[in-house]
Amino acid sequence: RDPDRLPASPRRSANRITPRPAPPRVLALTREPLATNPLAHPRRRTLTHCYPLAQEHAHARTHPRTTRTHLRDEAEMAQPIVPDTSIEALVSQANAISVSWEEQACAGLRIRSLINESADKAASAKTDPEGFRQALFRLEKLFKRECTRVSNFCAEQLNSIEEEQGELKKIHEVESSPVDYRMVKPVPGERLKETTVEQRNMDSISIHSSGKRKIRPNAMRNSVSKHASGKRRVRSPPVQAKRQRHGYASGMEVEKNDSKNNSQQPAQPNADSTVLKNRNMQKRWHKLQKKATMLTMFFNVNMQILTLCCENMEHKQRKVNEKSAKEGIHKTIEMLRKIISKRKEKLKIKFEGVKEDMTDGREFRNLMKESKEDDPDLQDDDSKDFRYRYENVPVVRQLDLHKLAAASKTKLRLVMSVNALSEPITVPVLVAKGKYAGKVLCLTSAIHGNELNGIPVIHKLFSEIDTEELGGTIVAIPVLNPPGFLRHQRVFSDGKDLNRYFPGKWNGDCSSAYVHTIVEKIVSHVDFLIDMHTASFGRVNSFYVRANMRDPASRQMALLQNPQFIVHNSSPEGSLRGVAQSRGVPAITVEIGNPQIFHKDLIRFTIEGIENILCHLNMLPDAVEPPSQLPVICNSSSWLFLQHGGILNTFHVVGARVKKGQVIGSIRNIFGDLVHEYTAPYNSVVIGKNVNPACQVGDRLVHLGLIGTEFREDVQDGH
């Protein structure tokens, strides 16, 4: 459980040219044979692949009283979750991605209906060959039309990205090209004339850029000069001597007359104007990168839909007994696969070209402003209240990011409240301030004291982050609820859930005053927020994200996190995410497995998602890596609660799909008699479930997500 022993994230490896290896979760994303995937085979399931179970089985060998039921429930919890690859789910994912374009996904459901129609016609191919041919023709026509529509749309968008990228490069080249501010033309040699010694002694001769001589009396040589605007300017002898010491001799001064060659010199670039230009260029670059990322996701999902349609048709072919019909379907399948392959390869090259030509975002970044020196809040001063050091970490009362040095990592203890011993209640704060200016991203963990997976995420991220490349600031609070963390419990010191009391008030009870301080001292200083949680005691969770999918910024963050599920949840009242959204701070909640245990695989997936978000916000110079498989998107979710008390038994693992009316759990009384069976109220997926067998009325049963992309304005499930 040592976070330092977590595997390094591939993105932050020393050799950046090495291609990023596929994460272990690829077992759940690829359709490998059962023999090569021990987790998918019931008899080949080895506990070495179930990351949380190694210590549990060691404990079971030394403690024989550990029941097999407990280990079986834990094994179900540890299984990888296979994402939903049905046509309905893929179409909903593509539509969720293309919200900003108003471009719908390919008609996968319509294609599937024509496949079923062709299979039905194949059964009567002998008696009605014309009907069978017409069914195949309609299927082929629709397939080609949808494939062409999606491909042409992506190609048009890529062309627009290339054009905007070309304009961006031209503007950058013009602004970054050196300018000659002297603008002095060479003097033709034939215009230079010799002067006599007497004339040199009497007068001062200066040579104009046009070649003409300008004679000035000696009396005016050290006192008067002519400005480029034509005005006379008096210069004192000390100033003239100072100019001569720096190499500005009177005979070398360039003077402009009022001739037609007179032109204004270009103004020196102002620092404020340069910063403003860089900001505008950065916004345009960020918009292009976001568009390219979403377009890649949209194209990949649509190609998966078409490929799945071909597999569905091939499956239907096996059930056809008529030889001629079988051959016709086989030829159609081969032709459709060639269409997909041709389109895919053509656009893949174009996508790679756009990615290679994308301008480096570091060229538009402004340097971070210098910090204030001699900051009293960061000095060791025992004479002032609440300012003393503990393990060389300064204690501060306010989080002032402007006082921290650029390109540095800082550890602080931020005072949040005072306990009964008149001692400050502090939270640990890690701040990584980049070399370049940018956004402020906040990471919070353990607002529920027993939800710990976010802590190693923060530790590992800060050990890998390079502040010389970082643009902006990352503020991370590993433990937001110190009293609950010390007691290994979910609630605060007064027994209340902090994530139900936001925004709080300064003159309220303990929890209200504490969360009010969180809002004023932390949330008000950040631009984006990621709040990390796990399941509570007695429950198991998948790796999923809750976000308001109607908010474009939150939707983008949720997709880039690449979880197993995304649940649309409008910002609930009383939560940290809700108060952040109400203050204009885009926020998501990341659920990372189960409580009081480190899930190393899920921790690594979370780090990769956060790095993707950092790249998307232009805080890191790397390109965003779109996921190969998109998460299952649910437009709502809800917990089912028990109406009977007794011994609970659930029948589905986390991540399973259940149909309406399917039995998902049962309750037996203490004598073993069946009391009640619970069924699914709608077609859904199991996001989490209760694993505590001893239950009473009102306890939770399972957490079900409803797949869909019709996001209502007010959807709350109590989180």
Side-chain angles (χ1 to χ4, degrees):
R1 299 187 181 183
D2 185 6
D4 295 334
R5 298 182 61 187
L6 294 175
S9 176
R11 188 190 294 273
R12 301 265 69 84
S13 58
N15 186 5
R16 303 176 72 92
I17 303 178
T18 306
R20 184 180 185 181
R25 188 161 51 133
V26 76
L27 290 175
L29 303 179
T30 57
R31 299 184 176 182
E32 297 180 348
L34 293 178
T36 62
N37 187 354
L39 288 176
H41 201 289
R43 295 186 179 179
R44 291 177 60 87
R45 182 184 299 165
T46 57
L47 294 173
T48 56
H49 293 81
C50 302
Y51 44 86
L53 297 182
Q55 296 181 355
E56 294 288 345
H57 279 263
H59 175 80
R61 287 193 295 270
T62 56
H63 298 75
R65 293 183 180 180
T66 304
T67 62
R68 293 184 178 181
T69 304
H70 169 72
L71 294 179
R72 185 177 67 250
D73 291 338
E74 292 291 328
E76 290 178 356
M77 168 204 68
Q79 283 185 345
I81 298 171
V82 181
D84 185 12
T85 56
S86 63
I87 294 179
E88 293 90 347
L90 293 176
V91 169
S92 67
Q93 291 170 5
N95 289 334
I97 294 170
S98 61
V99 170
S100 57
W101 302 321
E102 297 181 357
E103 179 71 17
Q104 295 297 314
C106 65
L109 301 178
R110 176 62 180 157
I111 294 174
R112 186 177 64 179
S113 65
L114 290 182
I115 290 174
N116 296 332
E117 181 184 348
S118 302
D120 296 337
K121 295 288 185 180
S124 59
K126 275 189 176 182
T127 58
D128 187 13
E130 184 64 23
F132 175 64
R133 283 195 298 270
Q134 288 293 332
L136 286 182
F137 175 75
R138 287 194 296 270
L139 171 63
E140 178 184 343
K141 183 178 179 180
L142 178 63
F143 195 96
K144 287 182 178 179
R145 186 188 71 188
E146 291 300 308
C147 186
T148 303
R149 181 179 66 83
V150 172
S151 301
N152 290 343
F153 170 74
C154 293
E156 291 174 2
Q157 296 294 327
L158 287 174
N159 290 335
S160 66
I161 291 175
E162 288 180 340
E163 292 176 1
E164 295 176 11
Q165 181 66 19
E167 295 177 2
L168 200 63
K169 284 185 177 180
K170 287 181 181 179
I171 296 173
H172 180 61
E173 289 174 359
V174 171
E175 292 182 351
S176 60
S177 59
V179 182
D180 186 5
Y181 293 98
R182 294 184 62 186
M183 299 183 67
V184 179
K185 295 182 179 180
V187 180
E190 61 271 11
R191 294 190 179 183
L192 297 176
K193 296 182 180 180
E194 296 278 335
T195 57
T196 61
V197 177
E198 292 81 4
Q199 188 177 5
R200 289 176 185 163
N201 293 333
M202 290 175 59
D203 303 314
S204 171
I205 301 176
S206 62
I207 306 298
H208 191 259
S209 60
S210 62
K212 298 180 181 180
R213 292 185 301 170
K214 190 177 229 181
I215 301 175
R216 236 184 297 164
N218 281 334
M220 297 176 61
R221 185 176 60 184
N222 294 328
S223 59
V224 180
S225 65
K226 195 171 185 180
H227 193 258
S229 62
K231 297 179 180 180
R232 294 168 62 88
R233 167 174 78 187
V234 179
R235 186 184 298 119
S236 60
V239 175
Q240 177 69 15
K242 183 178 180 181
R243 287 173 57 84
Q244 290 182 356
R245 284 198 303 270
H246 288 82
Y248 295 96
S250 60
M252 296 177 60
E253 292 180 356
V254 178
E255 300 182 0
K256 292 185 178 287
N257 57 8
D258 297 332
S259 64
K260 61 180 180 180
N261 295 327
N262 185 22
S263 60
Q264 293 183 356
Q265 296 183 1
Q268 294 274 353
N270 191 6
D272 295 336
S273 63
T274 304
V275 170
L276 185 60
K277 288 179 181 178
N278 285 343
R279 286 178 181 174
N280 294 333
M281 299 281 281
Q282 188 175 2
K283 287 180 181 179
R284 296 183 63 178
W285 177 86
H286 179 267
K287 186 177 179 180
L288 285 180
Q289 190 192 47
K290 176 183 177 181
K291 189 175 181 180
T293 302
M294 300 301 286
L295 197 65
T296 305
M297 293 183 185
F298 182 75
F299 178 73
N300 289 338
V301 175
N302 281 282
M303 291 299 106
Q304 289 178 19
I305 294 172
L306 297 175
T307 304
L308 192 60
C309 289
C310 291
E311 294 177 0
N312 192 2
M313 191 173 182
E314 189 175 14
H315 179 70
K316 296 286 185 181
Q317 178 198 8
R318 297 171 187 170
K319 299 181 181 180
V320 176
N321 297 324
E322 183 61 34
K323 186 176 180 181
S324 59
K326 209 167 194 176
E327 292 177 355
I329 295 176
H330 180 70
K331 290 180 181 179
T332 304
I333 292 173
E334 292 298 324
M335 181 181 59
L336 298 182
R337 282 181 172 168
K338 286 181 181 178
I339 294 173
I340 295 175
S341 177
K342 184 178 179 180
R343 296 278 182 177
K344 201 171 183 178
E345 289 298 325
K346 185 177 179 180
L347 281 177
K348 185 179 179 182
I349 296 173
K350 201 169 184 64
F351 272 111
E352 291 177 354
V354 169
K355 186 177 180 180
E356 291 177 359
D357 294 340
M358 187 68 71
T359 309
D360 192 349
R362 285 174 289 188
E363 298 179 4
F364 312 131
R365 297 198 292 187
N366 298 311
L367 292 175
M368 188 76 75
K369 293 183 180 180
E370 295 183 359
S371 61
K372 301 177 183 178
E373 298 180 357
D374 300 331
D375 179 18
D377 283 342
L378 302 181
Q379 294 180 355
D380 188 8
D381 188 359
D382 295 338
S383 62
K384 298 181 180 180
D385 294 338
F386 309 128
R387 291 181 184 175
Y388 50 85
R389 289 181 177 269
Y390 176 71
E391 295 184 355
N392 299 324
V393 177
V395 178
V396 297
R397 301 185 68 176
Q398 295 294 332
L399 185 61
D400 194 349
L401 301 178
H402 299 289
K403 295 182 180 180
L404 304 179
S408 65
K409 298 178 184 179
T410 308
K411 301 174 183 177
L412 302 171
R413 289 185 178 274
L414 180 62
V415 176
M416 306 296 290
S417 184
V418 180
N419 62 15
L421 294 176
S422 300
E423 296 176 346
I425 299 176
T426 63
V427 295
V429 181
L430 294 171
V431 181
K433 191 172 182 179
K435 182 179 179 180
Y436 304 94
K439 303 294 184 180
V440 180
L441 174 67
C442 181
L443 307 175
T444 60
S445 174
I447 193 173
H448 297 141
N450 58 355
E451 301 180 1
L452 309 181
N453 274 329
I455 298 176
V457 169
I458 293 173
H459 291 171
K460 194 64 177 177
L461 180 67
F462 269 72
S463 66
E464 296 173 354
I465 205 74
D466 185 4
T467 55
E468 292 292 333
E469 293 185 352
L470 179 65
T473 307
I474 303 175
V475 179
I477 298 94
V479 178
L480 200 55
N481 179 5
F485 176 77
L486 295 175
R487 294 180 175 89
H488 308 290
Q489 62 185 14
R490 175 186 178 91
V491 295
F492 194 57
S493 57
D494 59 352
K496 296 179 180 178
D497 188 343
L498 291 179
N499 211 30
R500 301 293 183 269
Y501 278 81
F502 284 93
K505 51 185 179 179
W506 67 271
N507 59 349
D509 57 16
C510 294
S511 295
S512 296
Y514 189 84
V515 299
H516 177 76
T517 308
I518 293 176
V519 173
E520 295 300 323
K521 291 190 176 184
I522 298 175
V523 178
S524 59
H525 296 280
V526 303
D527 300 319
F528 297 89
L529 175 68
I530 299 177
D531 188 22
M532 291 175 282
H533 290 254
T534 70
S536 298
F537 274 135
R539 308 175 202 164
V540 292
N541 250 357
S542 58
F543 175 43
Y544 76 99
V545 168
R546 288 194 301 274
N548 186 357
M549 297 295 282
R550 293 173 63 91
D551 177 40
S554 300
R555 181 176 67 246
Q556 182 74 20
M557 292 171 65
L559 288 171
L560 292 175
Q561 187 63 52
N562 191 23
Q564 294 161 336
F565 303 103
I566 295 178
V567 178
H568 168 59
N569 183 264
S570 58
S571 306
E573 296 181 1
S575 68
L576 175 59
R577 179 167 63 92
V579 73
Q581 291 278 172
S582 66
R583 289 175 170 250
V585 178
I588 62 173
T589 301
V590 184
E591 295 281 351
I592 316 170
N594 307 325
Q596 212 69 35
I597 189 171
F598 286 163
H599 291 178
K600 294 185 178 180
D601 285 358
L602 300 187
I603 290 169
R604 184 171 66 253
F605 300 153
T606 307
I607 294 173
E608 292 174 0
I610 293 175
E611 288 174 346
N612 248 355
I613 294 174
L614 289 172
C615 296
H616 168 71
L617 298 176
N618 199 23
M619 298 177 69
L620 289 180
D622 300 336
V624 175
E625 298 182 4
S628 58
Q629 294 281 353
L630 290 177
V632 177
I633 299 176
C634 302
N635 56 20
S636 63
S637 69
S638 60
W639 276 93
L640 297 186
F641 293 90
L642 295 174
Q643 301 174 359
H644 307 80
I647 307 302
L648 173 65
N649 188 18
T650 54
F651 302 139
H652 298 280
V653 297
V654 173
R657 287 178 57 86
V658 294
K659 297 181 179 180
K660 182 178 180 180
Q662 188 174 356
V663 178
I664 55 179
S666 65
I667 283 285
R668 294 181 179 271
N669 61 23
I670 199 63
F671 302 102
D673 302 324
L674 179 63
V675 176
H676 188 74
E677 288 185 339
Y678 292 89
T679 59
Y682 42 77
N683 297 336
S684 54
V685 292
V686 179
I687 299 175
K689 68 174 187 177
N690 187 0
V691 293
N692 183 12
C695 297
Q696 65 182 25
V697 175
D699 282 345
R700 299 172 187 253
L701 175 58
V702 291
H703 185 194
L704 299 180
L706 180 62
I707 299 175
T709 55
E710 297 178 358
F711 306 124
R712 301 194 305 274
E713 185 175 356
D714 187 15
V715 177
Q716 298 187 16
D717 57 1
H719 289 87

